[in-house]
Amino acid sequence: MSLSSKAWDRFLNLVLRSDVAQINRVEWLTDVLYPFLSITELEQLATEPPHRFLSVKVLNHIANQEIRRHSELLAMGSAGSSLTGCVATWVGIPTELAQYSVNLVLLIQKLAYLYGWDDFYTYGAVTTETRARITFLMGSMLGIREADELLRRACHSYQGQVSITPMRYAGDRSPIDKVIAEISKRLLVLSAKGGITAWVGRKAPLIGVTLGASTSYILVKPSLVRLKVFLRDLVVVCPS
């Protein structure tokens, strides 16, 4: 792995070890699917994917609700970062990066679990596989071709059991360095946006807050929708 990839690995490991960034698959699916499934079906979610019991249309509806919720959280977080930037720009930028990263990691897990992936954690522990799944799904969310190709190959090679497919996170055949380089570019754009809105917030707080919230929503939501569509298509093309 390159130096930038190693830095990403340490950063992602730090984010994932926080309780606020982890989703318990069974607990979350049970909570969100309770109105749609019987008690017996809910109990089977421990070993079965949701699309065994629900149509893709219902899964899409739930996914859209989660995308809307996290888009709004990101917009509010960006507004808060702009206010923080009124005090000091160097405080506003890391605040926005932190809330951006946590919200994306949370939504990636929710969408993956909704469309059939198994638990990202081994008895609650963060592993190399955990970081690989988050990284490649984030890469796909951002439209990185190499991440899409890896996930599609896994889908076809393992007959739909994408969730148990080892993701190559290191080695010459892994696209990890390319994917992380592209993710880093997006984070630089976010940092630049955070710096601009924080600077504007120092001059005109109301404008800074409005600019931070609106630009965050516009920049992020299309990527979240893209990931939903990609995961949905994997379910349709490679049903487990």
Side-chain angles (χ1 to χ4, degrees):
M1 296 175 73
S2 66
L3 287 176
S4 61
S5 297
K6 290 179 180 177
W8 168 258
D9 190 63
R10 288 193 293 270
F11 170 73
L12 189 58
N13 195 51
L14 181 65
V15 171
L16 290 172
R17 289 186 185 280
S18 169
D19 291 340
V20 73
Q22 292 192 22
I23 298 290
N24 181 294
R25 176 186 173 276
V26 175
E27 289 182 3
W28 182 76
L29 286 177
T30 300
D31 288 342
V32 77
L33 299 181
Y34 181 79
F36 305 96
L37 301 178
S38 67
I39 297 299
T40 301
E41 289 170 333
L42 288 171
E43 291 174 347
Q44 293 182 60
L45 289 174
T47 56
E48 299 288 348
H51 57 264
R52 289 282 177 86
F53 312 106
L54 295 169
S55 68
V56 173
K57 182 178 180 180
V58 173
L59 299 180
N60 288 342
H61 172 71
I62 298 169
N64 289 336
Q65 289 182 323
E66 291 298 326
I67 289 172
R68 182 166 55 251
R69 176 173 176 268
H70 282 276
S71 296
E72 291 170 354
L73 287 173
L74 283 163
M76 289 187 292
S78 183
S81 299
S82 300
L83 282 176
T84 306
C86 293
V87 179
T89 302
W90 57 266
V91 174
I93 293 175
T95 300
E96 178 151 0
L97 283 173
Q99 66 91 19
Y100 176 85
S101 301
V102 169
N103 269 287
L104 288 193
V105 166
L106 286 173
L107 187 62
I108 285 170
Q109 292 172 79
K110 290 179 178 180
L111 293 180
Y113 295 157
L114 194 61
Y115 288 107
W117 288 53
D118 65 359
D119 205 318
F120 279 31
Y121 304 91
T122 304
Y123 301 108
V126 177
T127 65
T128 300
E129 182 69 11
T130 309
R131 297 192 295 276
R133 293 182 184 191
I134 293 291
T135 300
F136 289 122
L137 286 169
M138 186 177 294
S140 180
M141 180 194 75
L142 296 173
I144 299 172
R145 180 173 55 83
E146 287 79 5
D148 284 351
E149 290 177 352
L150 183 143
L151 295 171
R152 288 197 185 98
R153 286 199 305 269
C155 171
H156 290 288
S157 298
Y158 289 80
Q159 299 180 348
Q161 297 297 318
V162 182
S163 57
I164 60 172
T165 304
M167 300 294 163
R168 290 186 175 275
Y169 198 57
D172 294 337
R173 297 180 61 189
S174 174
I176 189 67
D177 288 337
K178 170 67 174 177
V179 171
I180 290 176
E182 292 299 321
I183 291 174
S184 299
K185 291 178 184 178
R186 307 308 200 281
L187 292 179
L188 284 174
V189 171
L190 184 69
S191 297
K193 182 194 79 80
I196 293 170
T197 55
W199 181 83
V200 172
R202 294 183 67 184
K203 305 295 183 180
L206 183 59
I207 296 175
V209 169
T210 304
L211 181 64
S214 58
T215 54
S216 180
Y217 192 90
I218 292 170
L219 288 172
V220 173
K221 189 172 182 180
S223 297
L224 305 184
V225 173
R226 185 188 193 280
L227 179 62
K228 182 207 75 171
V229 171
F230 183 82
L231 290 172
R232 180 205 65 194
D233 289 349
L234 286 185
V235 170
V236 173
V237 175
C238 306
S240 57

